[in-house]
Amino acid sequence: MGIHPETNVLPPLYSQLSGVLAGFALAGFSIFLAADDLPPRAGSVSAALFSSFVSFVLLAVLYTTLADDPSSARRAVGLNIYGLPFGLAIVNLVYTLTLVATDRPALTATVNIGRLLVVVFGPVIVMSRLVVAAQKVPIYPGQGQLSLRLGWSLTAAQLLVGVVAIVAAAMLDSMPSLGVLPAFFGLGAATLVGLLSAFVHAQHSEVRIRPAHLHAFLASSFAALSGFAVLTALAL
């Protein structure tokens, strides 16, 4: 599998975008802390904002380092594994806005849209982008190929998990006590990827990845995104 040219273009773009989104998250967090009348779910809102801010700052550094890496193979690997915390951080920002609107009856439509984005469409988009990015990672010769059937099956399963979570949550009372947990998913993913980044940059310039390892990463990402979707559905 050859190296795709976008592996040279995307890291600096993602670095800049992460920096901009970190600024938005910090501004929202600062304004929220300065407010005198905090909403009932203030703990969950602040945790999600702080998690997104820390994740974006870390990702901005990681993508900047990746952009300066002379190895296209290492850039392809980095773009793949950094995608999970990047996607979770963005979904966490939408989750924050939905939480703020939850306790305002006039914003019911906004909450419903936000719930669909956070529980269903956001995780599905992140999962699909991880599958696409995995296709660009160089594979060990003679080790087989990345199973696109597995990747897209996980994406379809992610859609099913989101829909089931929405339906099941509608039959239950909201559980605000779970609202802070999605922030830990995002922060945990960013921390783990930060640790893995050292492993990525320590690899040979012509690094190749076994398909089994890519399959394990996609399966782990599916588990993380599914847990995030279920928790946010119950919390909202």
Side-chain angles (χ1 to χ4, degrees):
M1 178 183 296
I3 300 298
H4 294 256
E6 55 263 40
T7 59
N8 301 326
V9 178
L10 291 178
L13 295 179
Y14 280 129
S15 174
Q16 293 174 17
L17 181 57
S18 296
V20 170
L21 292 175
F24 279 122
L26 179 60
F29 186 63
S30 301
I31 293 172
F32 186 76
L33 290 181
D36 295 326
D37 186 18
L38 295 177
R41 304 193 187 206
S44 299
V45 172
S46 60
L49 281 172
F50 185 73
S51 171
S52 294
F53 167 67
V54 173
S55 297
F56 282 130
V57 168
L58 177 59
L59 286 165
V61 174
L62 293 179
Y63 280 123
T64 299
T65 305
L66 198 65
D68 291 334
D69 196 316
S71 168
S72 295
R74 286 197 296 260
R75 287 198 296 269
V77 174
L79 283 170
N80 186 217
I81 66 173
Y82 298 169
L84 178 61
F86 183 79
L88 279 174
I90 291 178
V91 179
N92 251 324
L93 284 181
V94 181
Y95 172 59
T96 299
L97 297 175
T98 308
L99 280 174
V100 172
T102 298
D103 298 307
R104 299 176 183 268
L107 300 179
T108 301
T110 301
V111 172
N112 290 334
I113 293 172
R115 184 180 289 112
L116 285 173
L117 290 173
V118 171
V119 179
V120 182
F121 299 120
V124 169
I125 292 172
V126 174
M127 191 71 231
S128 66
R129 294 307 304 169
L130 291 176
V131 174
V132 171
Q135 297 177 49
K136 300 169 185 175
V137 174
I139 301 293
Y140 260 119
Q143 294 286 328
Q145 295 295 325
L146 174 71
S147 174
L148 292 181
R149 177 177 297 180
L150 172 65
W152 295 119
S153 295
L154 289 174
T155 304
Q158 185 65 62
L159 176 62
L160 180 62
V161 168
V163 172
V164 171
I166 285 279
V167 173
M171 300 177 183
L172 302 171
D173 292 332
S174 176
M175 302 179 188
S177 59
L178 300 177
V180 70
L181 295 182
F184 288 101
F185 272 75
L187 195 57
T191 302
L192 181 58
V193 163
L195 295 174
L196 284 175
S197 66
F199 170 78
V200 172
H201 291 287
Q203 299 304 300
H204 190 271
S205 62
E206 298 300 325
V207 60
R208 296 292 183 268
I209 303 298
R210 289 181 172 83
H213 294 166
L214 282 176
H215 296 158
F217 172 74
L218 291 176
S220 300
S221 299
F222 166 74
L225 290 167
S226 296
F228 180 89
V230 171
L231 286 173
T232 51
L234 294 174
L236 292 172

Tab-separated table of all heavy atoms in Angstrom, residues 37-45 99-100 103 176:
chain	number	residue	atom	x	y	z
A	37	ASP	N	-24.806	32.700	37.969
A	37	ASP	CA	-25.922	31.762	38.061
A	37	ASP	C	-25.611	30.535	37.209
A	37	ASP	O	-25.862	30.505	36.001
A	37	ASP	CB	-27.211	32.434	37.583
A	37	ASP	CG	-28.429	31.549	37.794
A	37	ASP	OD1	-28.332	30.594	38.596
A	37	ASP	OD2	-29.461	31.789	37.139
A	38	LEU	N	-25.037	29.520	37.829
A	38	LEU	CA	-24.650	28.312	37.101
A	38	LEU	C	-25.844	27.373	36.955
A	38	LEU	O	-26.682	27.273	37.856
A	38	LEU	CB	-23.512	27.596	37.833
A	38	LEU	CG	-22.177	28.342	37.907
A	38	LEU	CD1	-21.172	27.551	38.728
A	38	LEU	CD2	-21.634	28.598	36.509
A	39	PRO	N	-25.927	26.641	35.824
A	39	PRO	CA	-27.025	25.698	35.628
A	39	PRO	C	-26.873	24.485	36.535
A	39	PRO	O	-25.796	24.240	37.095
A	39	PRO	CB	-26.891	25.313	34.152
A	39	PRO	CG	-25.449	25.508	33.845
A	39	PRO	CD	-25.024	26.687	34.658
A	40	PRO	N	-27.957	23.708	36.697
A	40	PRO	CA	-27.891	22.530	37.582
A	40	PRO	C	-26.803	21.529	37.189
A	40	PRO	O	-26.268	20.831	38.030
A	40	PRO	CB	-29.288	21.913	37.446
A	40	PRO	CG	-30.172	23.052	37.035
A	40	PRO	CD	-29.319	23.928	36.175
A	41	ARG	N	-26.484	21.455	35.903
A	41	ARG	CA	-25.490	20.477	35.440
A	41	ARG	C	-24.123	21.132	35.240
A	41	ARG	O	-23.363	20.761	34.350
A	41	ARG	CB	-25.967	19.834	34.140
A	41	ARG	CG	-27.343	19.197	34.258
A	41	ARG	CD	-27.632	18.319	33.073
A	41	ARG	NE	-29.008	17.851	33.103
A	41	ARG	CZ	-29.430	16.734	32.540
A	41	ARG	NH1	-28.571	15.956	31.919
A	41	ARG	NH2	-30.696	16.371	32.593
A	42	ALA	N	-23.828	22.091	36.091
A	42	ALA	CA	-22.579	22.852	35.943
A	42	ALA	C	-21.347	21.949	36.011
A	42	ALA	O	-20.377	22.157	35.281
A	42	ALA	CB	-22.507	23.923	37.024
A	43	GLY	N	-21.377	20.933	36.864
A	43	GLY	CA	-20.227	20.040	36.996
A	43	GLY	C	-19.931	19.300	35.708
A	43	GLY	O	-18.772	19.203	35.287
A	44	SER	N	-20.983	18.803	35.062
A	44	SER	CA	-20.796	18.072	33.808
A	44	SER	C	-20.344	18.993	32.689
A	44	SER	O	-19.482	18.634	31.877
A	44	SER	CB	-22.108	17.373	33.413
A	44	SER	OG	-22.506	16.444	34.400
A	45	VAL	N	-20.911	20.197	32.652
A	45	VAL	CA	-20.547	21.158	31.605
A	45	VAL	C	-19.080	21.553	31.731
A	45	VAL	O	-18.319	21.552	30.745
A	45	VAL	CB	-21.450	22.403	31.676
A	45	VAL	CG1	-20.948	23.478	30.707
A	45	VAL	CG2	-22.888	22.042	31.365
A	99	LEU	N	-25.874	20.070	26.990
A	99	LEU	CA	-26.092	20.069	28.440
A	99	LEU	C	-26.613	21.417	28.924
A	99	LEU	O	-27.529	21.486	29.751
A	99	LEU	CB	-24.795	19.729	29.172
A	99	LEU	CG	-24.389	18.259	29.266
A	99	LEU	CD1	-23.009	18.151	29.908
A	99	LEU	CD2	-25.400	17.452	30.070
A	100	VAL	N	-26.019	22.494	28.417
A	100	VAL	CA	-26.431	23.834	28.840
A	100	VAL	C	-27.891	24.081	28.474
A	100	VAL	O	-28.636	24.743	29.219
A	100	VAL	CB	-25.514	24.897	28.205
A	100	VAL	CG1	-26.043	26.297	28.486
A	100	VAL	CG2	-24.092	24.758	28.743
A	103	ASP	N	-31.742	22.198	30.531
A	103	ASP	CA	-32.625	22.676	31.596
A	103	ASP	C	-33.474	23.883	31.189
A	103	ASP	O	-34.081	24.524	32.045
A	103	ASP	CB	-31.783	23.027	32.831
A	103	ASP	CG	-31.049	21.811	33.380
A	103	ASP	OD1	-31.721	20.794	33.623
A	103	ASP	OD2	-29.818	21.880	33.527
A	176	PRO	N	-28.517	12.504	35.446
A	176	PRO	CA	-27.511	13.585	35.417
A	176	PRO	C	-26.197	13.222	36.105
A	176	PRO	O	-25.158	13.794	35.780
A	176	PRO	CB	-28.216	14.732	36.156
A	176	PRO	CG	-29.676	14.427	36.028
A	176	PRO	CD	-29.775	12.934	36.059
